[in-house]
Amino acid sequence: MPNEDLIHLECGPARATIAIRGAEPVAWRVGDVPLLWTADPAWWARTSPILFPVVGWSRGGAVRIDGTAYPMPVHGFAAGSGFTVVDHAADRVRLELTDGDGTRRHYPFAFRLTVEWRLAADRMDGCLTVDNPGERAMPYAVGLHPGFSWPLAGAPRDGHRVVFERVEPGTVPVIAPGGLFSTARRPVPLRDGRVLALDDALFAKDALCFLDAASHHVRFENGQGQAITVASDDFPHLALWSRPGAPFLSVESWTGHGDPVDFSGELIDRPSMRLLAAGASVHHRLSWLWEDGSAP
């Protein structure tokens, strides 16, 4: 990606790089420790895409709005869209995406999506702001899909785990063909309802999706005292995803999720979509916190 398409942030020992296309963090490190993975297309060609105006797969690759089917990419179109930089300082950047002819082919609503990233010495703070400048209510969902380095900070890969803030159910929905949510569930080997030891077998059948999770904070730990905590208070759904053998773990924060297998209704009726009134605005904030407990 050409340098003019990238924004570089720094704060103390921390460095981050944000791609203008998609408002996507493509690098984050503290000192010499890379925390985001490198988007190797052999595994997955993204690093940390923004999800909007839907999260997940839409049945048949389309959403229905006022009786008309509109093609909708998985996780929406924001990740592939050109944003505009509206503010930039050494440690922060704010980027904006507004509706136009290209977006209306998928989503016939007026909107403004603002993505702000702020870098601190040991954390990245993000804020996704959705504005509805139109004259009718607008259904939407947002999410973040970061791929963190696994192994993290050079630790043995098989010592990593995810620790949930609160006790979670020991099952998750089975993902059906096409990325849709079935009513069947599969077990997740949570110790004490909170601790998930990571191994490739967990992801052999797609993502682990904790819908309406009790936890707002989860820790991705490397077993050697270092961890990334993902804190996302206004994102009710959490997902963990990788591919067997891939050098990343996605710890995803969602306000919505993909279609159920039998869903054929309007986008406004899709489970977990939010409805933003005409003229309204809403903020969705989250943080990624690096904890280097191995440091002397």
Side-chain angles (χ1 to χ4, degrees):
M1 185 175 293
N3 286 338
E4 61 267 25
D5 296 331
L6 301 172
I7 299 291
H8 299 285
L9 307 180
E10 59 181 71
C11 182
R15 300 290 185 271
T17 302
I18 312 298
I20 295 175
R21 177 163 294 277
E24 177 180 1
V26 295
W28 173 40
R29 66 172 52 237
V30 176
D32 61 355
V33 180
L35 302 177
L36 289 175
W37 92 299
T38 56
D40 180 350
W43 295 104
W44 179 44
R46 306 307 297 257
T47 301
S48 185
I50 304 294
L51 317 181
F52 175 86
V54 301
V55 172
W57 293 82
S58 302
R59 187 180 180 200
V63 297
R64 295 188 64 82
I65 301 168
D66 299 330
T68 299
Y70 291 84
M72 182 63 72
V74 60
H75 293 315
F77 50 72
S81 297
F83 281 66
T84 299
V85 178
V86 295
D87 183 47
H88 178 213
D91 62 349
R92 71 181 186 275
V93 64
R94 188 165 71 248
L95 307 102
E96 186 177 278
L97 175 67
T98 57
D99 61 285
D101 291 343
T103 69
R104 293 189 196 108
R105 289 196 293 269
H106 304 284
Y107 183 70
F109 295 96
F111 70 86
R112 180 168 58 251
L113 173 65
T114 305
V115 179
E116 182 172 10
W117 292 105
R118 288 180 176 263
L119 184 66
D122 61 352
R123 66 192 294 149
M124 280 191 70
D125 295 320
C127 181
L128 277 59
T129 301
V130 184
D131 292 287
N132 179 2
E135 298 181 351
R136 59 173 177 161
M138 180 183 86
Y140 80 95
V142 293
L144 294 104
H145 195 317
F148 298 115
S149 298
W150 177 25
L152 183 61
R157 193 170 188 272
D158 60 3
H160 290 61
R161 65 182 192 171
V162 170
V163 180
F164 292 84
E165 174 192 20
R166 298 178 180 173
V167 172
E168 300 293 345
T171 63
V172 295
V174 172
I175 306 301
L180 305 182
F181 282 74
S182 73
T183 57
R185 299 185 70 87
R186 65 183 177 107
V188 179
L190 287 170
R191 179 166 57 83
D192 299 327
R194 295 182 55 234
V195 180
L196 180 65
L198 293 173
D199 64 61
D200 289 327
L202 290 171
F203 306 106
K205 297 181 179 180
D206 218 312
L208 307 178
C209 301
F210 296 85
L211 304 184
D212 297 309
S215 302
H216 297 297
H217 298 197
V218 294
R219 284 169 53 87
F220 171 41
E221 301 180 349
N222 71 355
Q224 295 190 348
Q226 296 159 306
I228 297 170
T229 292
V230 176
S232 51
D233 289 344
D234 194 30
F235 294 81
H237 313 304
L238 301 171
L240 305 176
W241 176 72
S242 188
R243 291 192 165 116
F248 69 85
L249 175 73
S250 281
V251 183
E252 305 174 38
S253 306
W254 302 345
T255 69
H257 59 76
D259 278 348
V261 291
D262 59 353
F263 183 75
S264 59
E266 292 272 314
L267 180 62
I268 195 173
D269 298 318
R270 177 171 171 161
S272 205
M273 294 295 291
R274 298 194 180 186
L275 192 64
L276 188 62
S281 178
V282 64
H283 305 285
H284 301 278
R285 295 182 173 88
L286 85 164
S287 296
W288 304 333
L289 174 65
W290 168 240
E291 303 172 58
D292 189 0
S294 70

